Amino acid sequence: MKKEAILYRMVRPIIKVLFKSLFTPKIIGKENIPKSGRIILAGNHTSNFDCFLLMSSTKRPIHFLAKSELWKGPKKIIFGNMGLIPIDRKEKNHQSLQLAYQYLNDEKLIGIFPEGTTEKQKGVLLPFKIGALKMAKETNSKIVPFAITGNYRLFSKNLQIQFASPISITEDLEKEKERLKNQIDCLMRGDL
């Protein structure tokens, strides 16, 4: 079993206080994140601050899949000690996926943005990649869909994250990809 990243545990309380005081986010449905067990959080990606918002939404450490560019230069020390999983968005990532599977098999929490990058047009989802669904299916993990709306303007009080109930994934990953995308889209529009 992998140990939780010490740096993550140290900075999470600080991030939570900063986010609550600076952005006053509304967190809806955090009770849908199970207190234990293998879970994948999957949702839309609006900003580089999204990871911090997720971190402040649950006490459980989240192991994010993050672009490998974050591991270049001095940043490697920080991101390497936060329990993140580097993903090269241009190549197959067998080693990274194996690490993600290991975390899930150890009953940990993975955070992923199926769009693979931040949104280009506010409120419009990019095509989803299949990685989160494949991981869920192969490790028998449930996915907790989430949606982030609003913006990260100081004291704006319109920032919101909403978590839906956990879903199980069936064999048809393409069909499940559309179901996940539709559910996140509904959360973004306030239809769930």
Side-chain angles (χ1 to χ4, degrees), residues 48-97:
N48 290 329
F49 288 120
D50 292 344
C51 292
F52 300 121
L53 178 57
L54 281 163
M55 287 171 68
S56 65
S57 299
T58 178
K59 292 180 180 178
R60 290 186 69 182
I62 304 170
H63 301 279
F64 290 101
L65 277 74
K67 59 185 179 181
S68 57
E69 293 88 346
L70 296 175
W71 275 258
K72 292 182 179 170
K75 295 184 288 186
K76 180 178 183 175
I77 296 167
I78 296 169
F79 292 109
N81 289 299
M82 286 289 289
L84 304 180
I85 303 165
I87 292 287
D88 187 333
R89 295 180 292 178
K90 297 173 188 159
E91 296 181 15
K92 296 262 184 201
N93 290 277
H94 299 295
Q95 188 175 4
S96 298
L97 290 176

Side-chain angles (χ1 to χ4, degrees), residues 1-6 9 61 63 83 102-103 106 108:
M1 183 188 288
K2 296 187 77 55
K3 287 187 176 180
E4 296 298 349
I6 293 171
R9 288 187 304 186
H63 301 279
Q102 185 178 350
Y103 279 122
D106 286 346
K108 306 293 184 199

Side-chain angles (χ1 to χ4, degrees), residues 39 51 56 73 88 92 99 133 137 140 147 151 157 182 191:
I39 290 292
C51 292
S56 65
D88 187 333
K92 296 262 184 201
L99 182 56
L133 299 147
K137 183 66 187 148
N140 195 28
N151 54 51
K157 296 188 178 183
N182 288 338
D191 293 343

Side-chain angles (χ1 to χ4, degrees), residues 1-157:
M1 183 188 288
K2 296 187 77 55
K3 287 187 176 180
E4 296 298 349
I6 293 171
L7 186 57
Y8 185 102
R9 288 187 304 186
M10 290 171 51
V11 301
R12 195 198 74 80
I14 298 165
I15 288 169
K16 184 174 182 177
V17 168
L18 284 174
F19 257 70
K20 286 199 170 188
S21 59
L22 296 176
F23 299 114
T24 58
K26 185 174 183 182
I27 301 169
I28 301 169
K30 68 179 177 179
E31 67 278 1
N32 290 321
I33 303 171
K35 295 191 185 332
S36 62
R38 61 187 74 179
I39 290 292
I40 298 170
L41 300 178
N44 64 320
H45 199 5
T46 67
S47 162
N48 290 329
F49 288 120
D50 292 344
C51 292
F52 300 121
L53 178 57
L54 281 163
M55 287 171 68
S56 65
S57 299
T58 178
K59 292 180 180 178
R60 290 186 69 182
I62 304 170
H63 301 279
F64 290 101
L65 277 74
K67 59 185 179 181
S68 57
E69 293 88 346
L70 296 175
W71 275 258
K72 292 182 179 170
K75 295 184 288 186
K76 180 178 183 175
I77 296 167
I78 296 169
F79 292 109
N81 289 299
M82 286 289 289
L84 304 180
I85 303 165
I87 292 287
D88 187 333
R89 295 180 292 178
K90 297 173 188 159
E91 296 181 15
K92 296 262 184 201
N93 290 277
H94 299 295
Q95 188 175 4
S96 298
L97 290 176
Q98 288 305 94
L99 182 56
Y101 287 6
Q102 185 178 350
Y103 279 122
L104 288 169
N105 287 329
D106 286 346
E107 306 297 318
K108 306 293 184 199
L109 187 64
I110 294 284
I112 189 168
F113 301 102
E115 295 168 282
T117 188
T118 53
E119 65 185 23
K120 305 301 178 209
Q121 184 180 347
K122 187 99 175 132
V124 178
L125 291 170
L126 296 168
F128 274 24
K129 301 190 183 314
I130 206 152
L133 299 147
K134 187 175 180 190
M135 275 192 287
K137 183 66 187 148
E138 292 184 4
T139 62
N140 195 28
S141 302
K142 290 191 175 184
I143 294 179
V144 173
F146 68 85
I148 298 169
T149 55
N151 54 51
Y152 291 92
R153 241 179 305 152
L154 294 178
F155 314 114
S156 69
K157 296 188 178 183

